[in-house]
Amino acid sequence: MSVTEQPAPAPGQDPGGDAAAEQLRDRISADSLTTRRDYLRIVATVSGGLAIGGVGVAAGILHRHGDSETLPAPKKVTDRLAPGQSIAFRYPGEEDRALAVRLGDGSLFGYSAVCTHLACAVLWREDRGPEGELYCPCHEGVFSARTGEVTAGPPPRPLPRILLTELADGSVWATATARSGEPLKDALCRQFGDSHPDASRQLGCPGAARTAGTARTTGTARTTGATESGRT
Ligand code: FES
């Protein structure tokens, strides 16, 4: 769910005090995330915490992250991720290598771990650069840990983003993917299509009906969000 600029908790914010997020957490704890409806309950909490402001293989040869036109099922990445740490996981499929990274300032980012050059595995190197970087050892490719953009080497495209959502209990969930260079909002709107009007309205997707809906505006499930303009 980065997305991603994952803002640190606002001062004074009580992430556990929101009933809707409590409900969300309970649902996840109960392993009730296999249905589309439950997924949407996660996304519906995004608006208060989603930073809308701001995927990898040799071209055309292999499946790419974010190619799906439908939302993947959410997946728990880890119970907790401390600053400076990363964790490898598979998402959206079991063959899709991915990385979640927590920078020193608390920001949380998710990416495909498949290099956009020749599909080698991308690694997290905390000791490189001012705040760590994503590094491909095959041909010295380097990607920004904050944006996924290529900063050095031969990779032709940014790493595809993975939307991460952090719940009040500190657990981190992967909830959606984007194509290389595609803002997460655009990726969500594309995958929502016409089948999830409430979520589309809440995100402000182009063409979404602006009628009164049932979208909620709770924000204790913090979601990473790709953004060009900053956090919301
Ligand atoms: Fe990553 Fe070449 S495969 S830089």
Side-chain angles (χ1 to χ4, degrees), residues 114-122 135-143 152-156:
V114 182
C115 182
T116 57
H117 182 217
L118 294 175
C120 286
V122 173
Y135 171 70
C136 177
C138 287
H139 311 96
E140 301 288 327
V142 181
F143 302 87

Side-chain angles (χ1 to χ4, degrees), residues 8-224:
Q13 182 180 5
D14 175 11
D18 186 276
E22 291 267 353
Q23 186 179 49
L24 170 63
R25 186 173 56 215
D26 290 344
R27 286 176 175 273
I28 290 175
S29 298
D31 291 325
S32 59
L33 288 165
T34 55
T35 67
R36 179 73 61 200
R37 182 178 179 182
D38 286 318
Y39 173 72
L40 288 175
R41 288 185 184 280
I42 288 180
V43 175
T45 64
V46 161
S47 67
L50 174 64
I52 303 285
V55 192
V57 195
I61 299 174
L62 301 172
H63 162 77
R64 300 184 195 185
H65 273 88
D67 275 355
S68 173
E69 294 299 327
T70 58
L71 290 166
K75 179 179 183 179
K76 188 176 186 178
V77 174
T78 182
D79 289 334
R80 191 166 298 275
L81 193 61
Q85 291 187 340
S86 75
I87 188 168
F89 61 105
R90 302 286 178 129
Y91 189 80
E94 287 306 310
E95 303 300 319
D96 299 317
R97 291 168 287 168
L99 272 177
V101 177
R102 173 92 72 186
L103 299 187
D105 66 358
S107 300
L108 183 64
F109 300 88
Y111 298 100
S112 162
V114 182
C115 182
T116 57
H117 182 217
L118 294 175
C120 286
V122 173
L123 309 173
W124 166 238
R125 293 287 303 268
E126 186 186 6
D127 59 328
R128 295 172 62 113
E131 57 180 2
E133 62 190 23
L134 298 165
Y135 171 70
C136 177
C138 287
H139 311 96
E140 301 288 327
V142 181
F143 302 87
S144 165
R146 194 169 288 277
T147 66
E149 295 289 334
V150 180
T151 59
R157 298 181 302 279
L159 289 175
R161 308 291 293 268
I162 294 177
L163 187 67
L164 299 178
T165 295
E166 184 175 16
L167 299 187
D169 66 359
S171 62
V172 176
W173 293 73
T175 52
T177 64
R179 294 167 175 160
S180 176
E182 181 183 38
L184 279 169
K185 176 183 174 180
D186 293 355
L188 286 170
C189 289
R190 172 173 54 80
Q191 292 169 88
F192 283 152
D194 298 326
S195 57
H196 307 305
D198 284 348
S200 294
R201 274 197 302 274
Q202 195 156 13
L203 283 179
C205 297
R210 299 291 175 182
T211 58
T214 58
R216 298 172 296 172
T217 56
T218 60
T220 58
R222 297 185 296 134
T223 300
T224 62

